[in-house]
Amino acid sequence: MENKRSHFIYQDESGVVGTTGKFVVGLLFIKERQPLYDIIQEVRTKHGYWKEFHFSEIFYFSSKRSRVACEVLDRILREHIYFRALAVSNEKLELKYFDNDIKNTKDLTEDQIRKAKSRGMFRAYNYFTKELLAENASILTEAVVYLDKKIRMRDDNIFEYLKREVNFHTGKNAIKVVESKDSVKDDLMGIADLVLGAINYDLKKGQNPMKLAVVKVVKQYVGKKIRFREWVFK
């Protein structure tokens, strides 16, 4: 039976909803994964590097992590992949639009307020991820979407929400399934993390030279393989 799947999509988030500055959601679109796994394995073997790829763990003294990240990104971004990201200003975002309890906190306990804000935070991530997927859904057919495996609230409905909303928006089976993926078991989740982390670090005007080296590589592909925009509030 012919496989109709158009893409594997790796989703990631950078920055914290409801704080200061911006938070960013990103999507890594891939057609064929094995050539990318082969490249990653070559780079890992060359440098004897077996840790996960995490932009946040590239510190001032992390010259090897920075060097490996730069090389693996430069090679991966030459392949048949592309990355889309959406930056959202926290100063303009109101969490009350994502959870009704936040609108009426005077009748809630501190614990209920905390839970309401957490729900609003996760639902904001979900909403903007959905918007970014919908913007790029015209080329999708039975795509598989992976979310970084993390602790989510019990009433967080992102798996069903993304599939339902994007398929309704397109009027077709653009997304076949949405599921969690452990970055320990799939390096492509780490690649998404590196790209998105670099984009957000550039927006924040960070100064760590080890991270800026990675930002420099990523910026070479902005406008080509990588495109991002800021959300326009209406």
Side-chain angles (χ1 to χ4, degrees):
M1 184 175 179
E2 183 180 359
N3 188 352
K4 296 180 180 180
R5 183 191 60 248
S6 62
H7 294 80
F8 295 100
I9 305 170
Y10 289 78
Q11 184 266 0
D12 200 15
E13 304 152 0
S14 180
V16 181
V17 171
T19 55
T20 59
K22 296 180 175 67
F23 68 91
V24 190
V25 295
L27 301 170
L28 175 63
F29 293 80
I30 300 169
K31 285 183 174 290
E32 297 295 334
R33 293 187 292 181
Q34 192 55 51
L36 306 182
Y37 289 136
D38 292 343
I39 289 171
I40 293 169
Q41 184 63 29
E42 287 178 19
V43 175
R44 283 192 176 284
T45 302
K46 174 182 175 181
H47 294 278
Y49 185 86
W50 309 109
K51 297 178 181 179
E52 286 184 70
F53 297 119
H54 283 302
F55 188 84
S56 64
E57 295 179 3
I58 301 175
F59 306 110
Y60 275 92
F61 51 84
S62 304
S63 59
K64 184 174 182 178
R65 286 184 179 183
S66 176
R67 188 167 61 252
V68 172
C70 288
E71 183 172 335
V72 76
L73 283 179
D74 192 40
R75 292 192 59 185
I76 291 292
L77 289 170
R78 295 173 187 268
E79 297 297 310
H80 189 57
I81 63 96
Y82 63 96
F83 193 92
R84 299 291 181 264
L86 181 62
V88 182
S89 171
N90 273 310
E91 283 73 17
K92 298 178 181 179
L93 181 72
E94 296 189 54
L95 286 181
K96 65 182 181 181
Y97 291 112
F98 298 97
D99 193 279
N100 288 329
D101 284 345
I102 299 176
K103 300 177 183 179
N104 304 293
T105 56
K106 65 180 181 179
D107 298 322
L108 302 180
T109 65
E110 288 187 7
D111 185 57
Q112 289 173 323
I113 293 172
R114 178 184 59 79
K115 290 180 179 179
K117 289 182 177 179
S118 294
R119 284 195 303 270
M121 179 184 74
F122 280 117
R123 288 170 182 171
Y125 283 130
N126 297 357
Y127 174 79
F128 290 108
T129 296
K130 181 264 294 183
E131 289 293 299
L132 188 57
L133 270 169
E135 287 179 7
N136 295 275
S138 62
I139 62 170
L140 302 180
T141 302
E142 296 190 5
V144 178
V145 180
Y146 296 119
L147 311 179
D148 195 1
K149 187 175 183 180
K150 61 188 68 176
I151 298 175
R152 285 193 171 269
M153 300 181 65
R154 295 180 68 180
D155 63 348
D156 180 35
N157 65 341
I158 190 170
F159 300 102
E160 299 83 7
Y161 171 76
L162 290 180
K163 179 179 177 180
R164 181 186 70 244
E165 293 297 315
V166 174
N167 288 350
F168 177 78
H169 172 82
T170 59
K172 64 175 183 177
N173 191 26
I175 295 177
K176 181 179 181 180
V177 65
V178 181
E179 57 189 39
S180 62
K181 176 69 72 169
D182 191 340
S183 57
V184 173
K185 299 178 180 179
D186 195 333
D187 277 329
L188 294 175
M189 190 62 73
I191 297 298
D193 179 282
L194 290 176
V195 175
L196 193 64
I199 289 172
N200 200 22
Y201 198 71
D202 188 48
L203 290 172
K204 294 189 297 185
K205 307 299 181 185
Q207 298 298 314
N208 177 348
M210 297 296 108
K211 289 185 176 179
L212 288 176
V214 181
V215 170
K216 183 178 180 180
V217 173
V218 168
K219 289 181 75 172
Q220 292 176 356
Y221 295 91
V222 171
K224 303 170 186 175
K225 296 295 185 70
I226 300 171
R227 296 180 185 174
F228 73 94
R229 70 175 184 86
E230 294 197 27
W231 178 260
V232 177
F233 288 85
K234 300 178 180 179

